[in-house]
Amino acid sequence: MRAAASAPLLQQLQSLLASITPAITATRRFSDASRHAASSASSIPQDGLTLQHFIQRSAVGDVPNAQPAASTTASAAATATSSEPELGKQAPSVFLETYGCQMNTNDSEVVLAVLQQAGFQQTSDAALASVVLLNTCAIRENAEAKIWSRLGFYRNVKLAARRSQRQPPVVGVLGCMAERLKLRLLESDRLVDIVAGPDSYRDLPRLIDIVQGSSSSSSSSDTSSTTIDSTGAVQRKGGRSAAINVQLSADETYADIVPVRQPDAISAYVSIMRGCNNMCSFCIVPYTRGRERSRPLDSIVNEARLLLLLLRLLFFGCRAVRMLSDQGVKEVMLLGQNVNSYADFSSGSSSSGSSSGGTQQTLTQAQAAAQAAEAAEDPFSGVYARGFRSVYKPRRGGAASFAELLDEVAAVEPEMRIRFTSPHPKDFSDDVLGVIASRPNVCKQLHMPAQSGSSAVLQAMQRGYTRESYDELVQHVRDIIPDVALSTDMIVGFCGESEGDHAASLDLMRSVAFDQAFIKDPRRAQLPGAYEIITDDVPEAVKQRRLKELIDVYRQQLYLRNASELGRTHLVLVEGPSRRSELALTGRTDTSKRVVFQDEPVPAGLLGSMLISGGNGSSTGSGRQGSAPMVRLQPGDYVAVEVTGTGGTLQARPLARTTLSEFAVWQASAQREVMPAAVAAAAEAQAEAQRVGL
């Protein structure tokens, strides 16, 4: 029976692989050709590439201490060597630690895919690994401090290996910290052997070969200073070779690499674009991640389909309790440094229309002419949200837009939730908001980083909008998506921030009442170029006082918003047991609110087990009516819950196991009803919260 049931899926998988293989091959050939051309045209400067090298690449002769590669062509150096283990020889192993954002998590999955293809096996024991890699973050100073501490630990691991007469592991630093510090990592008491930026992960097998002595490039241990040749081999005085590749790319997206993911994961990350063009004055991302470039739309949609089919096949072998259509990944997070500025020019699609639920919005000729005239005067009109600008002129004509991508990915599987991060407020155009509102499986939670409530500070940050424009966008979003949950980033004590500026930020927190906020002070890593001249002139004591005030206001507003959730019904994706009790389960709502509920049997269906008697997503049904069989909830299940307690985390009682589609039908029916009791209860809870001064 299992074989018969899985045959259609195998046919789908074979068909999908056949359809995407030509695209993957073409993408790989294009990427190889681009890297070959770049490698032939230039070499890597000793301190890595800067923003100027995006425009004009340096010649080998401009590199300090550069040495020509011995009998190694640039094209050969760009090709990863095969690391197939010899017969009877143990395969090399890699241990990988990941720090920072979701993009780093996805990048680590790409790194593992590259190394597995080169013959490496992943290990969970760093002491026995032949290669140890740390994928790093450089956004804040304490993020880098953690890495330096770990490097000190791995120095001791190396010493212990030498004392045991074993080959010490190759230690590499990847990601944003590698891109920022470059050779300084290699010169730091020999803690690091490999430095690889975010765009050089395909080159890792070759870099490892250089350090382990199997590369064909020349090596010398009697150099008087640290030198680097055009292949990235670094000769250090009195020690083994190191290797570096921190060259940023204008086209690398790793579109043809299928990341290595955990087989039992219910959520998955899919990278859709890399880099950032915004150049905010407090941010190092454009310098460590490079310019924006987007993956081809088809490659993203195909990865989502392949991910769904592969995980369904894996789960089928170990979970036969349920129908196969209920198995597999239930949530996909689309990733990018400026994710909603996605623009794919490879498909030849036009983004002049707006996609909403798969329907193209049509314009009259007069409207189109008016928009064209307005766009001619203002290059941001019709591309960005109203009142938003950027330091660069957006180029979106003829490209597949983020709205189109979001719509197509949502159509892959109606039972799979779609989220995305991290966006910029400017790119929440009407077509994007239309897709979010119309697709039940696109989550109604938007991250809208404000950074400050003061127009003066926003200008100093080079954010491209005013406080008034941000407020207008918030209201516009809530008009289109009434139940949306909003989150934000805020920086406290930014350079030059006055007490009036701080008061404006407090006012923003009160007026918007965010559902989640990430609040920080601007103690950041050293920034490159012109932004080093910004003076941090706000005293530390003032920063800490303002930070506490902003957090207090945020928590007050969060309490009020969560109080209104009492009695409401939400769809929750079960993640697993609660950390505080083995008798409870936890998960997140569509709006990304954390919910804890009892682990107890529930009806197997929603519509047959509940009485629809309330509006606004509330229910007075017992949750146990009807003839649906009782089941126990498992990670990856959708469950309808009724909120019974509020606070930072919502408490709820489970009503029934359900599906995303079934819940959408129930919710639409419930919204046509009126339930004064639930509305009155929510109003009473809010009034009580205000009475006690919260």
Side-chain angles (χ1 to χ4, degrees):
M1 180 176 177
R2 289 187 182 181
S6 61
L9 281 175
L10 287 170
Q11 293 173 1
Q12 292 180 51
L13 182 60
Q14 291 168 352
S15 175
L16 179 60
L17 288 172
S19 67
I20 67 176
T21 297
I24 290 176
T25 302
T27 304
R28 184 181 288 115
R29 286 174 179 169
F30 174 78
S31 299
D32 289 345
S34 300
R35 281 190 297 277
H36 175 73
S39 179
S40 300
S42 65
S43 59
I44 307 169
Q46 184 176 9
D47 197 33
L49 294 180
T50 67
L51 197 61
Q52 288 300 112
H53 289 85
F54 284 134
I55 304 170
Q56 182 177 1
R57 297 182 182 275
S58 299
V60 176
D62 296 330
V63 183
N65 298 327
Q67 296 177 344
S71 66
T72 304
T73 64
S75 59
T79 304
T81 58
S82 174
S83 298
E84 290 291 333
E86 299 175 5
L87 188 63
K89 184 178 179 181
Q90 187 177 4
S93 58
V94 58
F95 178 82
L96 178 60
E97 293 183 7
T98 304
Y99 299 86
C101 63
Q102 297 100 323
M103 180 65 85
N104 274 9
T105 300
N106 181 250
D107 279 357
S108 290
E109 296 170 343
V110 169
V111 168
L112 289 175
V114 169
L115 293 178
Q116 281 191 8
Q117 190 174 16
F120 285 80
Q121 294 180 351
Q122 186 178 6
T123 179
S124 58
D125 189 347
L128 300 179
S130 50
V131 176
V132 172
L133 300 175
L134 288 78
N135 195 359
T136 63
C137 172
I139 296 300
R140 306 190 70 201
E141 288 175 336
N142 62 352
E144 293 191 355
K146 291 179 182 177
I147 303 302
W148 286 116
S149 176
R150 293 300 290 165
L151 290 175
F153 169 79
Y154 286 119
R155 175 174 55 187
N156 293 332
V157 171
K158 285 184 175 183
L159 292 174
R162 290 191 180 98
R163 284 195 296 267
S164 302
Q165 296 183 338
R166 291 185 289 109
Q167 183 71 18
V170 173
V171 176
V173 173
L174 316 180
C176 293
M177 183 174 172
E179 194 67 47
R180 191 181 85 81
L181 296 180
K182 301 179 176 67
L183 273 181
R184 276 177 282 177
L185 284 165
L186 298 179
E187 295 169 346
S188 58
D189 200 22
R190 305 190 187 282
L191 296 175
V192 180
D193 303 306
I194 291 175
V195 176
D199 292 346
S200 60
Y201 297 147
R202 295 178 192 269
D203 200 27
L204 280 171
R206 186 186 68 85
L207 298 177
I208 293 170
D209 276 350
I210 289 175
V211 177
Q212 292 179 335
S214 58
S215 173
S216 60
S217 59
S218 62
S219 176
S220 174
S221 61
D222 58 355
T223 56
S224 58
S225 62
T226 299
T227 60
I228 175 173
D229 67 25
S230 59
T231 70
V234 179
Q235 310 303 326
R236 297 183 290 194
K237 182 179 180 181
R240 69 177 178 180
S241 296
I244 183 170
N245 186 346
V246 288
Q247 185 165 357
L248 290 172
S249 169
D251 51 53
E252 179 63 270
T253 62
Y254 302 107
D256 59 324
I257 295 177
V258 179
V260 174
R261 297 186 172 97
Q262 296 300 318
D264 58 347
I266 63 172
S267 299
Y269 296 131
V270 176
S271 173
I272 69 169
M273 59 86 67
R274 301 175 74 85
C276 183
N277 293 346
N278 290 319
M279 304 300 291
C280 299
S281 62
F282 56 82
C283 186
I284 200 172
V285 168
Y287 298 91
T288 59
R289 290 281 184 170
R291 292 187 301 178
E292 289 181 9
R293 62 270 190 200
S294 299
R295 283 180 60 180
L297 185 148
D298 289 345
S299 76
I300 299 167
V301 174
N302 284 334
E303 181 177 343
R305 289 174 178 160
L306 183 61
L307 178 66
L308 188 67
L309 286 172
L310 286 172
L311 288 180
R312 281 181 173 176
L313 287 170
L314 287 170
F315 276 110
F316 183 78
C318 57
R319 294 185 188 175
V321 180
R322 231 155 294 141
M323 293 295 292
L324 192 59
S325 60
D326 290 335
Q327 307 298 330
V329 67
K330 291 296 181 71
E331 186 174 86
V332 166
M333 176 78 80
L334 304 179
L335 297 179
Q337 271 78 36
N338 188 176
V339 67
N340 51 344
S341 70
Y342 174 88
D344 170 28
F345 291 91
S346 68
S347 63
S349 173
S350 174
S351 60
S352 58
S354 297
S355 172
S356 179
T359 303
Q360 290 289 95
Q361 297 179 355
T362 58
L363 297 173
T364 65
Q365 290 184 349
Q367 288 174 322
Q371 286 192 3
E374 185 179 3
E377 298 176 2
D378 182 2
F380 310 109
S381 176
V383 178
Y384 294 159
R386 182 181 176 88
F388 285 73
R389 306 173 65 85
S390 62
V391 296
Y392 64 96
K393 183 177 179 179
R395 187 171 66 93
R396 305 286 171 84
S401 67
F402 180 66
E404 293 176 65
L405 171 68
L406 193 60
D407 194 49
E408 291 204 28
V409 172
V412 168
E413 173 54 71
E415 292 302 319
M416 185 168 62
R417 275 181 173 175
I418 309 299
R419 300 186 187 274
F420 57 89
T421 197
S422 180
H424 191 286
K426 75 179 191 307
D427 294 299
F428 280 119
S429 52
D430 284 355
D431 55 351
V432 172
L433 298 178
V435 173
I436 297 170
S438 64
R439 286 284 189 182
N441 61 331
V442 178
C443 292
K444 309 303 184 282
Q445 185 270 328
L446 302 183
H447 188 56
M448 295 177 56
Q451 306 299 357
S452 176
S454 164
S455 294
V457 174
L458 291 171
Q459 183 176 6
M461 292 177 171
Q462 293 189 176
R463 290 291 289 171
Y465 54 88
T466 62
R467 164 67 184 277
E468 291 73 23
S469 297
Y470 187 88
D471 286 342
E472 182 180 344
L473 176 61
V474 168
Q475 186 57 54
H476 186 57
V477 167
R478 285 177 168 164
D479 288 342
I480 295 176
I481 315 170
D483 292 328
V484 69
L486 300 180
S487 59
T488 193
D489 294 335
M490 295 291 288
I491 294 178
V492 179
F494 187 73
C495 311
E497 183 187 70
S498 66
E499 288 298 332
D501 296 327
H502 173 59
S505 291
L506 294 173
D507 178 70
L508 177 69
M509 299 298 285
R510 293 190 186 97
S511 63
V512 177
F514 293 101
D515 294 271
Q516 195 171 14
F518 304 92
I519 307 171
K520 52 190 177 294
D521 66 62
R523 283 182 292 182
R524 55 199 183 281
Q526 179 184 356
L527 301 184
Y531 301 118
E532 292 178 356
I533 65 174
I534 293 179
T535 303
D536 188 2
D537 56 358
V538 179
E540 185 61 30
V542 174
K543 288 180 186 176
Q544 294 306 311
R545 190 251 306 166
R546 293 177 183 175
L547 180 64
K548 181 180 183 304
E549 290 175 355
L550 209 63
I551 291 174
D552 288 345
V553 170
Y554 159 65
R555 287 177 174 169
Q556 291 166 6
Q557 297 304 313
L558 178 65
Y559 185 94
L560 293 175
R561 283 191 65 81
N562 281 354
S564 67
E565 296 283 355
L566 196 63
R568 296 194 63 182
T569 302
H570 282 284
L571 180 68
V572 172
L573 178 60
V574 181
E575 296 178 2
S578 169
R579 287 183 297 178
R580 295 187 177 182
S581 172
E582 295 181 355
L583 302 178
L585 296 172
T586 186
R588 291 189 182 273
T589 67
D590 175 83
T591 53
S592 200
K593 291 181 180 290
R594 173 68 62 185
V595 182
V596 175
F597 49 93
Q598 286 298 112
D599 182 5
E600 59 188 28
V602 296
L606 177 64
L607 295 179
S609 63
M610 294 180 60
L611 291 177
I612 301 172
S613 57
N616 196 28
S618 54
S619 169
T620 57
S622 67
R624 301 292 182 268
Q625 302 183 24
S627 57
M630 305 297 284
V631 296
R632 298 301 292 253
L633 295 168
Q634 301 293 331
D637 283 337
Y638 288 119
V639 58
V641 303
E642 182 182 18
V643 178
T644 58
T646 63
T649 298
L650 301 180
Q651 292 80 47
R653 68 183 182 97
L655 301 177
R657 195 183 74 192
T658 184
T659 66
L660 205 155
S661 301
E662 183 186 44
F663 187 83
V665 171
W666 176 86
Q667 195 172 43
S669 300
Q671 287 175 349
R672 290 194 293 267
E673 306 260 344
V674 178
M675 186 177 156
V679 175
E684 183 179 349
Q686 185 166 356
E688 175 64 17
Q690 292 174 333
R691 187 185 66 78
V692 299
L694 293 173

